[in-house]
Amino acid sequence: MQQELFNASQAAGMPPEDSGTGAGSLDVIEAAGIVEPVDRALMSFFRRKGETQEDVLAAVALLSAANRMGHTALSLPDFRAEPNALFSMPGREVQGLERITLDENRLRDSAVVHVQQGDEQPHLPLVLDGGRLYFNRYFQFEQQTARQLLALTESLSGADTDEDSEANLRSLTNELFGHSAEGLWQRAAGVAALNRRLTVLTGGPGTGKTYTVLRLLLLLLKSAPGGRRLRVAIAAPTGKAANRVRESLIAGIDQLKTAGLEVRFPDVGELISQIPVQTMTLHRLLGTLHQQVTFRHNRRNPLPFDLVIVDEASMIPSALMARLLEALRADARLILLGDKHQLASVESGAVFADICDEPELNRFSAGFAASAARLGIELPPESVAALEEAVPPLRDCIVELTHSRRFSAESGIGQLARAVNEGDADAAMALLKSGREDVIWLDQPSGRWLGSILPELRQQLSHYRDAALDPAAKLDAMEAFQVLCAHRRGPGGVEELNRQIEQKLGLEPERGSWYEGRPVIMTRNDYQLGLFNGDLGVTVTQGQAAADGTPLLRVAMEAFDAAKSEKGVSLRSPAQLHMMETCWALSVHRSQGSEYRKVLLAMPPQDSPVLTRELIYTAVTRAKSVIYVAGSEALLRKAIARRTRRFSGLAERLSRIL
């Protein structure tokens, strides 16, 4: 919204910066160093609307800054309690904001502030709802998301199902999920998918989200009225995440084909053939329009799918989730997959975490238990509410998968992830210092720990430059080892570490240019090239240029052959790729949706609000065999104790509406 208002102010001839001499609160905000040009443009915009109250203009600037930090609202009570901490960022220690009062009465009296009551639709630019201040657009996104999610929770148990069909579903459910204790919640997910239009699967790495959703798909295809074919779309927030889920789907489909299901269910082969293996980004699914903030598919032009499945849903920001829900057909189903403990979107909002904010996940209504029993699934008594107990419908849509097949009970990575999730810094440090081979602590400054992992980096570079390896093998080598950072800029950030790594590898003279073995990542979607944010590549040599004999460089990138349903490689000219960055080191945010055999998490030298429990957990769970953690023990302990704070009213709104 800030960018739109900035553009509007420019179009109207408004100055982007405040030309007045401001006093009090505005001076404090300027001195704190949190104001950017777009904030000044917003204050100018509101002055043109007739607003002169300094508290209101200060609130506009603070709300704009809060949106940049991922909050959809400015929580006035939290601002009063910890104003400086709320706006501090890496390399920016904020001071003095405690002098700002943000008088709520003045906000209420402002001609540009709508005081929300009930479910009315506000028409003023700012909305005050309880103790939260919103820009109107974010408020409407939140209201719309809550309404549409709740509409999807309505029970479908009244649909006609004859005894034979129910018996077939029961048999197929038992065959697909078995009867083991480890598969209990996967079987419960089948109940949720058959009885509601919304299914939410949350769980850590290796808990079987893709395994489960494939089987949910078979159940839904089997139960389709009249045996009709369901139109299914599978998407993810980034290109890398979409590629990853596609790989998992193809592998899972191959397993289904060899499981011998056709012996008992002759039509299962036809059902499996209906499962799509083509995946796409959410932006492509919704239909990005050139230089517009809207999408082709919306309320008036809904998506043509009966079922939409979205992986890595924790990465979806507030605005994009609202657009997705708006674009669903009235009778469509939605399945969201994600890990509620992972980092939220880089943009504003933490919708998936808000959806999963139920205090009693995996404790269902008596009606849900009865539906499970009809499918031959017995839920333990402690996971079923009493008959007279009111259970929010949303809870019957959410299933948390808890049994990890990737990390055994003895796995150091699994134990470390659990300790971080539980906020147990003592247990985390004990594991890191235990001498285990899969969890390694490097208590050294960056210059020294970088030397400890230099053999890993040299090995990767040698793979990238090995003439005997084909481009596909070089791309596979990118998954061997990855350095992850808490933030992009500043000491210990991605930019600094990429420079240091190139220097250590003897690549410093080539820094900033294309060189053989340079690993790169797309930073934006490029629909003309068919490349997406998060797509990875390796720079390879393809012979010599004819003119001067210099090596001819190409960037090898993953491609997908839809006709063969298999992964391939495309070679692109570096001249085409203007939105690529070096990725010897990546931010933890950019690593979401990826897995690596070995990972090093590089802690920055100074504390910052981005160092949170969720960031550490996300980094740890990117590793499949070894996780290194480098940095200060004191900072790691602080990070494990600090929860991500994304201020919004969605979780409360869902609860209140229910």
Side-chain angles (χ1 to χ4, degrees), residues 486-550:
H487 49 81
R488 279 178 46 79
R489 297 182 177 85
V494 169
E495 294 174 352
E496 179 183 85
L497 275 176
N498 273 320
R499 288 194 297 270
Q500 290 179 357
I501 290 170
E502 286 184 325
Q503 181 180 13
K504 291 284 187 182
L505 291 174
L507 303 171
E508 189 177 20
E510 301 170 291
R511 187 196 320 150
S513 62
W514 290 93
Y515 55 83
E516 184 184 14
R518 181 190 179 197
V520 289
I521 186 169
M522 283 289 292
T523 58
R524 293 183 184 177
N525 296 333
D526 188 327
Y527 292 98
Q528 288 185 329
L529 293 178
L531 299 177
F532 304 98
N533 182 18
D535 284 355
L536 298 171
V538 177
T539 311
V540 299
T541 300
Q542 293 290 299
Q544 293 183 333
D548 56 6
T550 57

Side-chain angles (χ1 to χ4, degrees), residues 7 80 146 336 341 360 378 399 410 485 546 596-597 643:
N7 292 341
R80 295 186 188 107
L336 300 175
H341 298 296
E360 296 183 287
E378 183 178 354
V399 178
E410 294 76 31
C485 306
Y596 310 94
R597 286 192 289 281
R643 301 297 303 268

Side-chain angles (χ1 to χ4, degrees), residues 10 21 33 43 75 98 124 131 180 205 229 244 274 298 305 404 410 421 479 503 519 553 579 590 598 640:
Q10 295 291 76
T21 58
M43 286 190 286
S75 170
E98 71 278 357
L124 295 174
S180 69
R229 297 175 69 99
R244 177 71 64 183
Q274 295 179 39
N298 49 41
F305 300 106
S404 177
E410 294 76 31
N421 249 346
E479 298 182 356
Q503 181 180 13
L553 298 178
M579 293 177 283
R590 280 209 178 276
K598 298 180 182 180
I640 292 173

